[in-house]
Amino acid sequence: MRAGSTGPAWITAPGLLPYPQALAAMAARVAGLRAGTACDLVWLVEHPPTYTSGTSATPEGMLDPRFPVFAAGRGGQWTYHGPGQRTAYVMLDLTREDRAIPPRDIRAYVHALEGWVITALASLGVTAERREGRIGLWVDRGGGREDKVAAIGVRVTRWVAWHGVAVNLAPDLGHFSGIVPCGISQHGVTSLADLGITADMPALDAALRDAWGKVFGTG
């Protein structure tokens, strides 16, 4: 039986994990998944203040490199990671046929990632929504204002997905001002704390874990 033939393993990294260590660990896991020696993994991480660039990032999107900057290799543009933000790295074999999403369908996979976070946040009292032509998940603040509450950025290597989502629980929102987040300057950034939600990180983690099966099934 191929490793990963059941649901993913879940691991929570302690403390603040430097971004280069996360990249190296993900790359090793991806190699194991491709070789059939590792199982799927959802890895819950917090990083020290960090800016990362995706494959579509432009120099104009970096406004103030006040924190370490790293090339992520994922899709998308500029993203901030930092304390109070839950980054969920999802490493999955997309060839499997025992999930509620079709195999080898990257569009369906990204849609499922979005649905996963939407479902988790709904259980905490936050209505997050997709927006046509915009990456990430958004909250309607009224009066025509919309703020991003979660970022999505993935990479797929020979049908193994990695990277994932970043949900703003209670980060310092001022740290986002050093970049144009995901290349979108006309909208803002929010967090659960900014929205008046008092959930802590364990509660967010529990919501993410509970929502997984509702979107991806048991695989």
Side-chain angles (χ1 to χ4, degrees):
M1 180 181 294
R2 180 183 174 87
S5 59
T6 60
W10 289 72
I11 297 175
T12 302
L16 300 179
L17 183 71
Y19 193 77
Q21 291 184 27
L23 278 181
M26 279 194 289
R29 190 75 175 209
V30 168
L33 276 162
R34 287 173 53 198
T37 59
C39 65
D40 295 329
L41 173 65
V42 179
W43 190 25
L44 304 176
V45 172
E46 269 185 282
H47 291 298
T50 303
Y51 294 131
T52 70
S53 62
T55 55
S56 300
T58 63
E60 293 76 19
M62 172 51 68
L63 305 177
D64 177 13
R66 72 188 83 165
F67 302 123
V69 179
F70 300 100
R74 53 161 173 79
Q77 300 194 35
W78 291 99
T79 298
Y80 167 77
H81 294 297
Q85 180 194 71
R86 173 56 85 207
T87 299
Y89 291 123
V90 183
M91 287 152 273
L92 295 183
D93 175 2
L94 296 184
T95 68
R96 287 175 52 186
E97 299 180 354
D98 58 342
R99 295 196 184 95
I101 59 171
R104 296 182 177 86
D105 189 330
I106 297 173
R107 185 182 297 272
Y109 170 63
V110 172
H111 192 269
L113 281 182
E114 294 169 340
W116 172 45
V117 177
I118 288 171
T119 301
L121 292 183
S123 73
L124 297 174
V126 175
T127 301
E129 300 174 318
R130 301 176 179 92
R131 287 292 181 265
E132 187 69 28
R134 278 192 247 149
I135 297 171
L137 297 174
W138 301 83
V139 175
D140 186 346
R141 306 300 296 273
R145 175 184 170 189
E146 294 182 340
D147 291 340
K148 178 181 282 191
V149 70
I152 310 263
V154 302
R155 180 175 178 179
V156 177
T157 303
R158 296 186 184 178
W159 297 115
V160 175
W162 46 315
H163 295 273
V165 304
V167 183
N168 296 332
L169 177 71
D172 184 335
L173 296 179
H175 289 178
F176 287 88
S177 64
I179 57 171
V180 178
C182 299
I184 300 170
S185 59
Q186 63 269 42
H187 299 286
V189 179
T190 190
S191 66
L192 273 66
D194 184 51
L195 295 168
I197 304 298
T198 58
D200 59 11
M201 195 68 79
L204 174 57
D205 291 347
L208 288 168
R209 187 155 191 170
D210 182 65
W212 181 268
K214 296 175 182 178
V215 176
F216 287 93
T218 57

